[in-house]
Every structure is written in C-alpha cells, then in structure tokens.
Amino acid sequence: LLPADRGSWSLSSDMPEETFLQKIKAYYVYLPVGNKYVDALSGFNQQDQASVQTNKNYLETSAGWYYFSSDVTLSYVVEDGGVMPKLHSGWNLISVNPMMTELNSQVSAFPKGNCVIAKAYMWDNVEKMWESIGETNSIHNSLDIFVEDETVGVGLALKVKSSCQLGLNGENAVAPP
C-alpha cells in the first residue's frame, strides 16, 4: 500500500484498482524508445499509437505518473505475479512487482540480471522529490532494499548503459535440488 496525496504526482505501478480511477486527474507513461511521455488517461491517441506499439513490452512492466484529485492509499492487483522487465538503454520507469520480490527473497538481492545500472532513483510521494538509491559504486547493493513484499508497486527510475534484462543471472542462480 502506497500513500498518494491529493494534488501531487505519484510514480507507481500502472494498474491501480478500479476504486481509484475516478480520483485520477492525469496519467502519463514514459516511452524509452522515442524518449517521450504520452498521456494515457483516456487511452492513447492515434498520433501516439506507433510509439506505444514500439514500447509494448516495456509498458507491461513500467511505472506511470499519476495525479490524484484526493488523498488515496494505493493498492494493486497483479494477476500473474508480473514479468521481469526488459530495460532499454537510458532511463526506464519500472514498478516493483511480486516476481521481483520473490526472486529477491531467493538470493537476498535485487534481480539485476545482465543490467549495468548507472543511476537509480525512487520518487518520494510524501516529500515530492527524487531520492537517490545509492552512490554509483554501490547502486546494485542499495537496490537490495527492494526485497520485501511491501515494496510491490513502488516506482523506480533506472538508468542503464545498454538494453538489458532484469532477472537472475548465472552467478546468482541457485542450483535446482
């Protein structure tokens, strides 16, 4: 559950429950291929359809920017546990999903896969500011705080050097029984 104050932006998972929909005044998603934001509150317009299709796989695991008309506590329903995000070179807005926290609990580490994460930030809904997640030389260790189930739905901004896949890589995988 994540707090979201009236009259403020919230970066979080892109599918709030229906009870919150009438309180959303604006909703934008970021498209890394094309490096732009698009308005998604009433669906995507014709002009943005090609960009949305190009970013389709990214949008399955991305976070979105919401602007609420009243105070809410966000909760999310994830039907299939989510998928591991594929990140594009540059900035990516993702949402922590149950699959990520499950993998985190197995290895007690953020499932960075083959990604080299150059910068990481979390949006603080209360203070209305970006919080840096670790220094350049310790980002991967600092991301390990996102191993708890309570972090599901938290939006993160990750900058990667090249396109990559989050998940477990060979060195972190546990051998099957």
Side-chain angles (χ1 to χ4, degrees):
L1 299 175
L2 304 169
D5 294 333
R6 172 180 48 93
S8 68
W9 287 98
S10 179
L11 176 65
S12 206
S13 184
D14 65 345
M15 280 308 233
E17 292 180 349
E18 284 189 42
T19 55
F20 301 117
L21 295 180
Q22 69 274 11
K23 297 177 182 178
I24 299 172
K25 292 298 180 193
Y27 168 44
Y28 287 87
V29 293
Y30 175 70
L31 304 177
V33 177
N35 190 29
K36 68 177 187 174
Y37 284 96
V38 294
D39 183 352
L41 184 60
S42 301
F44 299 110
N45 66 37
Q46 249 348 77
Q47 181 181 350
D48 294 327
Q49 282 299 327
S51 294
V52 168
Q53 286 303 311
T54 303
N55 288 273
K56 184 178 177 185
N57 291 339
Y58 170 80
L59 289 172
E60 291 177 3
T61 56
S62 68
W65 282 108
Y66 294 93
Y67 191 85
F68 292 97
S69 60
S70 60
D71 294 346
V72 295
T73 299
L74 300 175
S75 62
Y76 297 89
V77 175
V78 181
E79 294 179 12
D80 63 1
V83 297
M84 294 307 294
K86 179 177 184 203
L87 306 182
H88 296 271
S89 179
W91 285 103
N92 295 266
L93 299 178
I94 68 163
S95 182
V96 176
N97 67 43
M99 179 180 278
M100 295 170 80
T101 60
E102 174 65 29
L103 289 176
N104 290 352
S105 67
Q106 291 175 17
V107 295
S108 297
F110 187 79
K112 67 181 177 79
N114 66 346
C115 296
V116 176
I117 300 171
K119 294 182 181 180
Y121 291 89
M122 179 181 82
W123 179 252
D124 184 328
N125 293 339
V126 176
E127 298 294 324
K128 299 173 182 61
M129 60 184 272
W130 287 104
E131 287 185 22
S132 177
I133 302 172
E135 299 299 318
T136 302
N137 59 350
S138 67
I139 287 174
H140 292 138
N141 292 336
S142 298
L143 282 167
D144 293 347
I145 64 172
F146 297 98
V147 300
E148 303 296 326
D149 288 339
E150 293 81 30
T151 62
V152 169
V154 170
L156 302 174
L158 303 178
K159 185 175 186 179
V160 295
K161 295 182 184 229
S162 60
S163 294
C164 61
Q165 178 72 50
L166 289 180
L168 296 179
N169 59 22
E171 67 190 49
N172 291 336
V174 176

